[in-house]
Amino acid sequence: MKLNYRIVIFALAIVFGIVFSLPSLLQTQSGKKITLGLDLQGGLHMLLGVKTEEATKSRIKSIAASIKHFAERNDILIDGLSFDSKSVTFEVLDSDEIKNFDDFLSKLEGVKVTHKGSVITLSLTPKEIEKTKQQAVSQAIETIRNRLDQFGLSEPVVARQGKDKILVELAGIKTPQEEQRARELISRAAKLEMMAVDEARNARVYNMSDADAAAYGDVILEDVKNPKIKYLVHEIPILDGGMLTGANVGFDQNNRPVINFKLNAEGADIFGDFTGKNVGKRLAVVLDGKVYSAPNINERIGGGSGQISGNYTVLEAKDLAIALRSGALLAPIYMMEKRSVGPSLGADSIKASMIALIGGFILVIVFMMVYYRMAGVIANIALIANLLILLAVMSLFGATLTLPGMAGIVLTVGMAVDANVIITERIRELIYEGKSMHKAIEEGYANAMTAILDANITTLIASVVLYVYGTGAIKGFAITMSIGILASMLTAILGTHGIYQMLEPKMGKSKNYRFWFGIKG
């Protein structure tokens, strides 16, 4: 027996497979392991809807805030700035300034501007409305995914379903507390706004209705700690969370958790301008429609930093910081369907899958040994190596194993041994034709190569298509199949060829074809 490069590569591949698959097989504390999917370890399945019409309203509100800031920064007097779900209307008091406003409005994308004397009305074009709605869904998917990543869940499934629905699958959510925390984190709008308190009318807030407040361009908001405390604030915010660049948990002088946030350059300028012009007045920090604080402005605040204080725990503050960092949802989301998958159901799935895998594995091994004798043993070595490499690669990349993924492993067992069946049959045919052992082995591999490559490449292409267009568990099946096919090319073709080349002198000398290939020579 002599070593060859094929057997060296095969041996290294086996060592790689053993080293990196052990943490998953033995479930050790250290080392990278395969993560079980929702269907195997239980968890939460949710179908969320997106109120896309709210996204256009939010866009209109943002345009109104920009107009207000532009007028204040350039000392242009405007009156009657108001908005509804479709348009913004205001009047420029100095007709000489209309051109300046037109120049500013021409830079806004997707808006239609109409003039009626000195009154200007802006509305979104139909194309912009549709674009805004689609962006709301895409942004919600990205925001939810970011929040769950920072929450610490491994490979959560967040995917678009239809036009305006979002599928969320969270594996490993086992307790009602974990479920509640995850749901709150996902659904939280995290809409941060800085709103000016209407000091002239705030004293009358307890005697005002929402309609009364709206007549003055104001809204009535409750205090987050005490709903009985109310604030009258201007409806158009000074700035919003879109200008946020960071949010982290800190502690105040009483060691209570607070959220420290930082604004971008534009937000810092607006914040500085507003506080400079409104010393002695109050600025309300509003999050999701609740006033968290409304401190007096003592001086101009530069630097664009601020703080949100509230009566929350460290865990709640941490989740709030995650929500703020990952951005506000452009439109609210709502629960359309919720389903919990219990761990016991996952355990039953694992048990049934393991029975199928081990049963199929043993039957294949026994058949190969009985029918092909030593050639069957060599094929079985390649099969075991294939499984080890498959598990090692999945562990190394922290892949999620789902029930279809288990089916992919079982299918891989069949495909991996199929290559060796083709090769062994070709070798047996050549031995029947009277070829020498060396020629039978080399020509057997050469003749079998085309059929094996055709089958593996077409299956690999199908797996890639499934991965690209599939979602959730289908992707898991595609990944398992793809890794299994590539591993089988290494073990069933290169590995077994190396073993035959190493044993070839001994095989040629013995001439015992029944022992080596299960046939009469």
Side-chain angles (χ1 to χ4, degrees):
M1 293 191 296
K2 60 179 181 179
L3 290 177
N4 55 74
Y5 79 90
R6 290 188 175 92
I7 200 70
V8 172
I9 294 173
F10 186 49
L12 291 174
I14 291 177
V15 172
F16 167 81
I18 293 173
V19 170
F20 289 102
S21 64
L22 276 181
S24 293
L25 292 172
L26 302 178
Q27 287 299 299
T28 57
Q29 293 295 322
S30 60
K32 293 187 174 180
K33 294 188 281 288
I34 295 173
T35 305
L36 297 182
L38 177 71
D39 50 359
L40 294 182
Q41 67 167 321
L44 190 62
H45 166 103
M46 292 180 287
L47 186 63
L48 308 173
V50 182
K51 295 180 179 176
T52 53
E53 65 280 2
E54 290 294 326
T56 56
K57 188 177 178 181
S58 179
R59 175 77 195 283
I60 289 286
K61 192 174 180 181
S62 176
I63 290 173
S66 298
I67 290 171
K68 183 180 180 186
H69 178 247
F70 177 79
E72 289 177 350
R73 168 158 277 198
N74 295 280
D75 294 325
I76 301 174
L77 294 176
I78 61 173
D79 189 31
L81 177 60
S82 61
F83 68 92
D84 55 25
S85 60
K86 295 180 180 176
S87 62
V88 182
T89 303
F90 62 99
E91 181 179 6
V92 181
L93 298 180
D94 184 353
S95 57
D96 293 339
E97 299 288 356
I98 292 179
K99 184 176 182 309
N100 289 334
F101 247 109
D102 283 341
D103 291 342
F104 167 68
L105 297 177
S106 66
K107 296 173 185 172
L108 300 177
E109 294 181 359
V111 298
K112 180 183 176 185
V113 182
T114 55
H115 292 77
K116 191 173 181 181
S118 58
V119 177
I120 300 176
T121 301
L122 282 86
S123 58
L124 297 178
T125 62
K127 184 179 177 183
E128 188 65 17
I129 291 173
E130 185 60 29
K131 182 181 172 185
T132 302
K133 288 181 177 179
Q134 291 304 311
Q135 279 180 341
V137 179
S138 300
Q139 188 263 0
I141 292 171
E142 194 61 30
T143 300
I144 292 171
R145 191 174 287 139
N146 287 338
R147 289 179 183 180
L148 293 174
D149 284 344
Q150 295 184 54
F151 186 69
L153 289 169
S154 58
E155 295 197 20
V157 174
V158 184
R160 184 192 288 257
Q161 285 242 321
K163 193 176 178 182
D164 56 359
K165 299 179 184 63
I166 302 173
L167 170 70
V168 179
E169 289 187 345
L170 307 176
I173 298 288
K174 295 182 174 66
T175 66
Q177 291 78 16
E178 288 177 334
E179 178 184 326
Q180 180 68 18
R181 191 182 165 203
R183 286 177 57 188
E184 287 179 356
L185 183 63
I186 289 171
S187 61
R188 182 162 216 160
K191 190 174 184 181
L192 177 67
E193 295 173 306
M194 303 291 175
M195 306 177 85
V197 176
D198 187 344
E199 300 290 1
R201 303 181 182 88
N202 190 60
R204 292 187 280 142
V205 66
Y206 295 100
N207 300 317
M208 295 174 74
S209 65
D210 289 340
D212 295 335
Y216 297 113
D218 295 337
V219 289
I220 300 172
L221 299 179
E222 295 176 349
D223 186 274
V224 68
K225 297 174 188 172
N226 185 355
K228 292 182 179 177
I229 299 176
K230 295 181 178 179
Y231 296 88
L232 186 68
V233 298
H234 293 306
E235 187 175 13
I236 299 174
I238 307 304
L239 51 83
D240 59 35
M243 299 173 184
L244 210 67
T245 58
N248 294 290
V249 178
F251 294 90
D252 62 12
Q253 61 272 22
N254 297 316
N255 207 32
R256 291 176 302 196
V258 295
I259 310 296
N260 296 316
F261 64 85
K262 183 85 177 168
L263 300 168
N264 62 15
E266 184 187 358
D269 283 346
I270 296 173
F271 196 52
D273 288 349
F274 177 80
T275 53
K277 293 178 181 175
N278 291 276
V279 173
K281 297 180 180 177
R282 285 179 294 173
L283 177 67
V285 180
V286 180
L287 184 65
D288 295 341
K290 302 284 184 185
V291 177
Y292 275 63
S293 60
N296 280 313
I297 302 170
N298 296 321
E299 59 183 350
R300 184 182 186 279
I301 304 173
S305 297
Q307 193 176 80
I308 305 172
S309 57
N311 187 23
Y312 31 63
T313 64
V314 174
L315 202 61
E316 289 169 342
K318 184 182 173 186
D319 288 349
L320 178 57
I322 290 173
L324 288 171
R325 278 200 303 272
S326 39
L329 295 171
L330 290 177
I333 57 175
Y334 60 98
M335 186 75 68
M336 297 183 71
E337 178 187 325
K338 180 177 81 72
R339 189 156 35 90
S340 294
V341 180
S344 57
L345 181 60
D348 290 343
S349 299
I350 293 175
K351 185 179 176 183
S353 300
M354 289 305 293
I355 290 173
L357 178 60
I358 294 172
F361 192 72
I362 291 174
L363 286 173
V364 167
I365 282 181
V366 170
F367 171 79
M368 292 298 289
M369 289 176 65
V370 170
Y371 194 72
Y372 293 110
R373 303 296 175 95
M374 199 60 195
V377 173
I378 294 171
N380 289 338
I381 292 172
L383 184 58
I384 294 169
N386 185 304
L387 280 177
L388 290 174
I389 293 170
L390 172 59
L391 294 176
V393 173
M394 291 182 70
S395 302
L396 206 57
F397 289 101
T400 299
L401 182 62
T402 60
L403 198 55
M406 295 282 278
I409 293 177
V410 176
L411 191 56
T412 298
V413 170
M415 291 199 62
V417 83
D418 181 60
N420 282 117
V421 168
I422 295 172
I423 292 168
T424 308
E425 285 296 337
R426 294 287 182 274
I427 294 173
R428 283 164 50 136
E429 287 172 6
L430 292 166
I431 290 174
Y432 278 130
E433 292 174 7
K435 301 276 186 177
S436 68
M437 185 64 75
H438 174 75
K439 282 193 173 181
I441 291 171
E442 296 304 320
E443 290 182 18
Y445 271 90
N447 294 341
M449 195 61 70
T450 304
I452 295 171
L453 287 177
D454 282 351
N456 284 348
I457 289 173
T458 50
T459 309
L460 192 60
I461 291 171
S463 299
V464 171
V465 172
L466 278 179
Y467 181 81
V468 172
Y469 293 102
T471 58
I474 300 300
K475 282 183 183 285
F477 175 79
I479 290 173
T480 310
M481 278 297 297
S482 300
I483 298 172
I485 290 167
L486 295 174
S488 77
M489 304 266 279
L490 174 69
T491 57
I493 300 174
L494 188 136
T496 56
H497 198 174
I499 295 175
Y500 280 125
Q501 286 181 328
M502 188 177 70
L503 298 175
E504 190 185 304
K506 193 174 181 179
M507 295 166 73
K509 195 181 293 182
S510 74
K511 302 286 186 185
N512 188 347
Y513 298 114
R514 186 174 185 77
F515 172 76
W516 291 108
F517 294 102
I519 59 172
K520 293 180 180 178

